Amino acid sequence: MNKHILSIVGSIILFASHLSSQTQTLRQIVDDKYPANNVYIGATSMYSKIGSKETKLLAREFSYTTPANDFKQSYVHPNNDTWRWDKADAWIQFARKHQQVIRIHGPISPQCSRWAKNDARTDIELLTNLSEYMTELCRRYNDEEVVQWMDVINETVSRDGSWKTSETGDTKWELPWESIGYEKVDKDKYPHLGGKVPLYIIRAFEIATKEASNKKLVINQHGGMHVEMWNKVKDLVRYLRDSGLRVDGVGWQAHISYGRDVDWESPEVSMQALKDLIAWAHTNSLEFHVTECNIHVPLNKPGSEQEHIDTYMSVFNTVLEMRHSGVVTFNLWNIKDVPHYKNKSKTVIAPWDEQLKPKAIYFEMKKALEDAAD
């Protein structure tokens, strides 16, 4: 009789535990199941959404957030005479209120102001703007406890392994900072750098190493698992560290585009390649960040809901699996389904629908967190 009662009690406890996991948020599960602080699950939003249902969901579901564009040079210091901190400071207040940590996405990157991209800009003007912006950004938030990471550079290497360059004319994805010049490096010691490193990268890390001493410094990179691209990033990390500069983490954006390659942004993307990249990062005392995950799908051939689940979860599960060897983070670039920001023939798929109703992806993420912790 006692054994029968114990069995019933055990079944009740298991049922209650299952029910609790269904009602818990992602944030609560991470807090409960991952106390080692080696797993961070986050999402991105923007200043215009603060106070909306979207950022209320952001606060409820995530302990980590990455403001999309509000810390970038294009807004904060778009030219040598302008400073605007209102949006960035609002995010600091938001994170304090909701006990979140922030990754400042304010890198030196192609996402810069039209002033910087103007062909008339001199190297001195560009270097002055870069130095002023990075110095003030680091100094302003170095003592803010809610800021845990800073992206220092972003999208600096092309998929073929070449340095992203400055271009003439009104080119959206050019990188004007490249025109500042290059530092020569040893081709034998760093075979994938092409004998040179852009001066803007060195300068950005010099400033961040000195002025953001309390923050973890991240290199954020787009693309897939292209071997040439990541080899250059790896050599860049070695070069910067050998030069006495600090690199604490590497990020992969994980924008996955259906239609271009069926499932992935690049034919070379595989979960084994991602595991190998994370393993390399951890072996070299680097955190690994999935920084901007979302799925871009054609409106005329969006794929099935199960395909969307499989795509998200392959990345998510890989991140969780690799947590044992070092810090991993997973950040959604979109909380909800939205039209593609520039391509009207595509839409962006997220774990919540346009009305912020949770989709199957969300519940699969929660289940994965529960299962991986067992």
Side-chain angles (χ1 to χ4, degrees), residues 3-69:
K3 288 183 178 179
H4 182 64
I5 291 173
L6 287 173
S7 177
I8 293 174
V9 170
S11 296
I12 292 172
I13 291 172
L14 284 173
F15 176 75
S17 176
H18 173 73
L19 187 63
S20 174
S21 70
Q22 294 300 303
T23 57
Q24 280 188 309
T25 64
L26 291 167
R27 178 174 187 165
Q28 289 170 330
I29 297 172
V30 172
D31 287 346
D32 291 346
K33 302 290 186 179
Y34 299 87
N37 292 325
N38 60 339
V39 175
Y40 294 84
I41 309 299
T44 294
S45 190
M46 59 190 71
Y47 173 79
S48 62
K49 300 293 184 180
I50 291 180
S52 69
K53 291 181 179 179
E54 179 175 315
T55 52
K56 289 178 181 177
L57 185 151
L58 177 70
R60 183 179 72 244
E61 292 286 342
F62 303 99
S63 59
Y64 152 46
T65 187
T66 305
N69 299 311

Side-chain angles (χ1 to χ4, degrees), residues 205 217-219 237 240-241 245-250 285-286:
F205 270 98
L217 309 181
V218 178
I219 293 175
V237 171
L240 292 171
R241 285 177 161 183
L245 304 176
R246 185 160 51 85
V247 184
D248 302 300
V250 171
S285 301
L286 292 160

Side-chain angles (χ1 to χ4, degrees), residues 272-329:
Q272 187 56 54
L274 179 57
K275 287 179 185 179
D276 291 345
L277 182 60
I278 299 174
W280 165 83
H282 289 168
T283 298
N284 287 277
S285 301
L286 292 160
E287 298 181 348
F288 191 86
H289 301 259
V290 173
T291 57
E292 304 182 15
C293 192
N294 59 15
I295 305 173
H296 301 179
V297 302
L299 291 172
N300 63 351
K301 196 177 180 181
S304 67
E305 183 176 34
Q306 188 59 52
E307 288 175 315
H308 301 162
I309 294 169
D310 292 345
T311 301
Y312 265 107
M313 297 312 300
S314 58
V315 177
F316 193 75
N317 285 327
T318 299
V319 168
L320 293 181
E321 180 183 341
M322 298 301 292
R323 76 189 186 279
H324 300 292
S325 56
V327 172
V328 289
T329 77

Side-chain angles (χ1 to χ4, degrees), residues 157-162 192 223-235 266-270 273 276-277:
V157 182
S158 299
R159 289 175 175 83
D160 63 2
S162 62
H192 302 290
M225 293 293 108
H226 299 75
V227 174
E228 296 87 354
M229 181 182 76
W230 286 111
N231 280 343
K232 179 155 274 186
V233 172
K234 291 174 183 179
D235 267 9
S266 157
E268 296 180 359
V269 170
S270 72
D276 291 345
L277 182 60

Side-chain angles (χ1 to χ4, degrees), residues 41-300:
I41 309 299
T44 294
S45 190
M46 59 190 71
Y47 173 79
S48 62
K49 300 293 184 180
I50 291 180
S52 69
K53 291 181 179 179
E54 179 175 315
T55 52
K56 289 178 181 177
L57 185 151
L58 177 70
R60 183 179 72 244
E61 292 286 342
F62 303 99
S63 59
Y64 152 46
T65 187
T66 305
N69 299 311
D70 301 318
F71 285 84
K72 287 182 178 178
Q73 178 269 347
S74 55
Y75 183 78
V76 170
H77 192 43
N79 58 60
N80 286 340
D81 300 317
T82 303
W83 291 97
R84 297 181 294 195
W85 297 104
D86 54 321
K87 294 182 179 181
D89 287 348
W91 277 111
I92 299 298
Q93 295 300 321
F94 182 91
R96 286 178 186 165
K97 179 179 178 180
H98 299 291
Q99 298 181 310
Q100 293 178 312
V101 294
I102 286 177
R103 191 182 89 250
I104 288 181
H105 186 53
I108 302 302
S109 75
Q111 289 83 45
C112 57
S113 67
R114 296 183 69 87
W115 175 90
K117 293 186 178 185
N118 188 314
D119 293 344
R121 296 282 80 83
T122 67
D123 298 347
I124 296 299
E125 284 180 309
L126 289 172
L127 184 58
T128 298
N129 183 277
L130 182 157
S131 299
E132 289 178 348
Y133 165 69
M134 284 300 296
T135 300
E136 292 306 313
L137 182 71
C138 293
R139 287 178 178 174
R140 192 176 186 90
Y141 300 114
N142 187 46
D143 294 327
E144 285 289 351
E145 292 185 3
V146 297
V147 176
Q148 190 151 326
W149 306 277
M150 294 183 65
D151 290 342
V152 181
I153 59 171
N154 182 57
E155 299 184 7
T156 59
V157 182
S158 299
R159 289 175 175 83
D160 63 2
S162 62
W163 294 115
K164 188 169 278 293
T165 60
S166 173
E167 299 177 26
T168 58
D170 188 9
T171 306
K172 183 174 178 60
W173 296 111
E174 71 160 311
L175 206 156
W177 318 105
E178 183 256 355
S179 68
I180 294 171
Y182 287 86
E183 177 81 17
K184 290 184 179 180
V185 302
D186 188 329
K187 290 183 179 180
D188 294 327
K189 189 174 183 180
Y190 309 102
H192 302 290
L193 295 182
K196 60 183 182 180
V197 171
L199 288 172
Y200 76 86
I201 293 178
I202 298 170
R203 184 59 180 147
F205 270 98
E206 285 175 344
I207 295 169
T209 298
K210 178 183 178 182
E211 304 292 352
S213 57
N214 297 331
K215 306 307 168 194
K216 295 180 180 180
L217 309 181
V218 178
I219 293 175
N220 194 29
Q221 183 60 36
H222 68 317
M225 293 293 108
H226 299 75
V227 174
E228 296 87 354
M229 181 182 76
W230 286 111
N231 280 343
K232 179 155 274 186
V233 172
K234 291 174 183 179
D235 267 9
L236 176 61
V237 171
R238 288 200 305 116
Y239 172 78
L240 292 171
R241 285 177 161 183
D242 289 348
S243 300
L245 304 176
R246 185 160 51 85
V247 184
D248 302 300
V250 171
W252 173 48
Q253 290 185 6
H255 296 300
I256 298 167
S257 182
Y258 280 32
R260 178 164 34 180
D261 300 295
V262 183
D263 292 321
W264 300 110
E265 189 165 6
S266 157
E268 296 180 359
V269 170
S270 72
M271 288 309 95
Q272 187 56 54
L274 179 57
K275 287 179 185 179
D276 291 345
L277 182 60
I278 299 174
W280 165 83
H282 289 168
T283 298
N284 287 277
S285 301
L286 292 160
E287 298 181 348
F288 191 86
H289 301 259
V290 173
T291 57
E292 304 182 15
C293 192
N294 59 15
I295 305 173
H296 301 179
V297 302
L299 291 172
N300 63 351

